[in-house]
């Protein structure tokens, strides 16, 4: 492993100062330390931020919910407000990783995690995300798990997070603290599709620290849930997944929030599906017709064509589960 220095930050100012000197933030370490062992990440200095006071979950004055960046996945999944108000978040977290990892990994780290593309983690393979300009071994290699949506000539890797799919569906925002300022980014602006710069995965400025993820106030009642389809039932990444939230009043769908995972280079919101649902009465036929639009714009690779149909079926099944009329 590349030698590195280790320092611990005791407040956010400490952390920002250390980052300004080139340090990389370390929280649960469940992704970063793995990648350091594999030689993919080679930071010179780690700044341990696990003592910062960013580990609370609280209601906001605006009627939403703020989840601190250092709340662990397990804590967020078990929190009563998350479980009752946003089951889609709890379910996405509980279907992720393993119990041991969920006890260590944080919400901030989860949305920062890097792709599981095997070529990215193999330092002998060509990978634009790891080494811009070297090529993309996945394009002509084994790409069964790769993306259909949001791909570019440079990279076709999926974003691996489950809870990021739920956050995208719920219009969450990410709170950031920089050396000079605080700012808030919508989730859709926080994670970046590869374009011509696949090495840049988040819209973070140098040294910026994630402080929280905020779920906005949403209409009630809101039924929601997460479905993950994978090759085995635990400790596996999604082939496809669907986060669905529906607000039905007077028998009519007033709001529909639908996003997919395992298929996009970032969590993939499905506006065509949502548009098909809003203003309609829930029915089995409606779920099927809406889900048929889930793969609009998909560009399958040699080995992942099966995901087109799988995505439609995943979305349809989760619409039935959340919306009824199974
Ligand atoms: Fe690298 Fe992206 Fe290609 Fe995977 S898909 S090898 S991460 S450039």
């Amino acid at each position: 492993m590349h030698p590195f220095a280790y320092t611990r930050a005791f407040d956010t100012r400490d952390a920002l100062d250390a980052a300004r000197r080139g340090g990389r933030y370390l929280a649960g370490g469940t992704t970063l330390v793995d990648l350091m062992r594999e030689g993919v990440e080679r930071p010179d200095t780690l700044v341990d931020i696990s003592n910062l006071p960013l580990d609370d979950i609280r209601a906001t004055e605006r009627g939403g919910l703020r989840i601190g960046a250092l709340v662990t996945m397990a804590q967020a999944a078990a929190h009563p407000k998350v479980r009752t108000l946003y089951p889609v978040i709890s379910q996405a977290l509980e279907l992720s990783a393993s119990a041991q990892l969920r006890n260590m990994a944080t919400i901030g780290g989860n949305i920062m995690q890097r792709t599981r593309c095997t070529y990215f983690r193999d330092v002998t393979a060509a990978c634009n995300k790891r080494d811009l300009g070297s090529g993309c071994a996945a394009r002509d290699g084994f790409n069964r798990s790769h993306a259909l949506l949001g791909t570019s000539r440079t990279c076709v890797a999926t974003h691996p997070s489950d809870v990021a799919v739920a956050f995208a569906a719920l219009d969450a925002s990410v709170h950031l603290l920089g050396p000079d300022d605080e700012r808030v980014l919508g989730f859709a602006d926080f994670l970046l599709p590869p374009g011509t710069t696949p090495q840049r995965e988040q819209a973070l400025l140098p040294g910026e620290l994630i402080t929280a993820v905020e779920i906005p106030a949403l209409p009630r009642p809101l039924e929601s849930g997460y479905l993950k389809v994978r090759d085995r039932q635990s400790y596996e990444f999604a082939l496809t997944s669907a986060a669905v939230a529906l607000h039905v009043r007077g028998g009519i769908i007033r709001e529909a929030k639908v996003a997919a995972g395992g298929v996009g280079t970032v969590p993939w919101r499905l506006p065509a599906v949502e548009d098909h649902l809003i203003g309609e009465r829930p029915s089995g036929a409606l779920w099927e017709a809406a889900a048929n639009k889930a793969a609009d714009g998909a560009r399958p690779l040699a080995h992942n064509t099966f995901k087109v149909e799988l995505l439609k079926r995943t979305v349809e099944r989760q619409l039935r589960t959340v919306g009824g009329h199974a």
Side-chain angles (χ1 to χ4, degrees):
M1 190 190 287
H2 179 68
F4 63 92
Y6 170 91
T7 181
R8 188 180 286 254
F10 291 96
D11 57 36
T12 51
R13 186 50 51 194
D14 266 359
L16 293 170
D17 285 348
R20 191 166 38 228
R21 294 193 297 272
R24 285 280 301 275
Y25 297 130
L26 174 76
T30 55
T31 294
L32 180 57
V33 175
D34 267 3
L35 291 171
M36 288 169 64
R37 286 200 185 103
E38 289 165 344
V40 176
E41 296 271 16
R42 298 165 63 85
D44 292 322
T45 302
L46 291 182
V47 185
D48 186 340
I49 58 170
S50 55
N51 279 351
L52 302 188
L54 302 173
D55 57 353
D56 65 328
I57 297 178
R58 57 184 151 90
T60 67
E61 290 174 3
R62 297 175 288 275
L65 191 71
R66 181 180 165 111
I67 305 175
L70 292 177
V71 172
T72 67
M73 292 171 69
Q75 288 167 340
H79 194 278
K81 278 200 184 317
V82 177
R83 291 194 88 78
T84 53
L85 297 176
Y86 311 102
V88 63
I89 295 176
S90 285
Q91 292 168 18
L93 288 166
E94 288 175 345
L95 290 168
S96 303
S98 65
Q100 293 91 336
L101 288 167
R102 293 194 295 270
N103 283 333
M104 288 295 295
T106 63
I107 291 297
N110 185 292
I111 62 175
M112 288 290 292
Q113 68 180 295
R114 309 204 67 188
T115 182
R116 306 306 295 195
C117 173
T118 51
Y119 302 105
F120 171 70
R121 286 167 183 256
D122 173 358
V123 293
T124 66
C127 174
N128 286 321
K129 192 180 278 298
R130 183 169 26 74
D131 180 14
L132 188 60
S134 65
C136 171
R139 273 211 162 271
D140 297 320
F142 188 56
N143 44 43
R144 177 175 180 272
S145 66
H146 287 72
L148 310 167
L149 294 155
T151 56
S152 74
R153 191 179 47 76
T154 63
C155 181
V156 292
T158 54
H159 192 274
S161 168
D162 290 296
V163 76
V165 181
F167 287 153
L170 296 176
D171 297 311
S173 55
V174 184
H175 290 244
L176 302 169
L177 178 64
D180 306 313
D181 217 347
E182 293 180 52
R183 62 184 184 131
V184 179
L185 282 182
F187 216 77
D189 298 321
F190 175 70
L191 292 177
L192 305 175
T196 56
T197 54
Q199 78 286 6
R200 186 159 185 250
E201 296 171 329
Q202 302 89 15
L204 284 168
L205 300 173
E208 267 187 324
L209 178 68
I210 301 172
T211 55
V213 173
E214 182 174 338
I215 316 302
L218 294 169
R220 298 286 163 191
L222 188 78
E223 302 294 333
S224 73
Y226 187 74
L227 174 64
K228 181 174 183 177
V229 178
R230 45 190 166 169
D231 283 328
R232 59 184 180 195
Q233 267 306 312
S234 72
Y235 200 34
E236 183 59 280
F237 291 87
L239 288 170
T240 58
S241 71
V244 169
L246 298 174
H247 169 53
V248 180
R249 186 165 37 82
I252 303 292
I253 300 169
R254 309 288 173 172
E255 281 208 32
K257 298 175 176 301
V258 186
V263 291
T265 51
V266 292
W268 205 257
R269 194 75 182 257
L270 300 176
V273 174
E274 295 171 353
D275 290 348
H276 198 86
L277 295 170
I278 293 169
E280 302 293 332
R281 291 187 178 278
S283 73
L286 180 68
W287 306 142
E288 182 179 354
N292 260 328
K293 299 178 176 299
D296 285 4
R299 290 188 298 185
L301 303 162
H303 306 119
N304 69 0
T305 307
F306 72 98
K307 282 192 178 186
V308 171
E309 187 60 26
L310 188 62
L311 172 60
K312 293 179 190 175
R313 293 186 191 198
T314 305
V315 171
E316 182 183 343
R317 184 169 141 195
Q318 193 56 5
L319 287 170
R320 288 180 192 274
T321 300
V322 172
H325 299 271

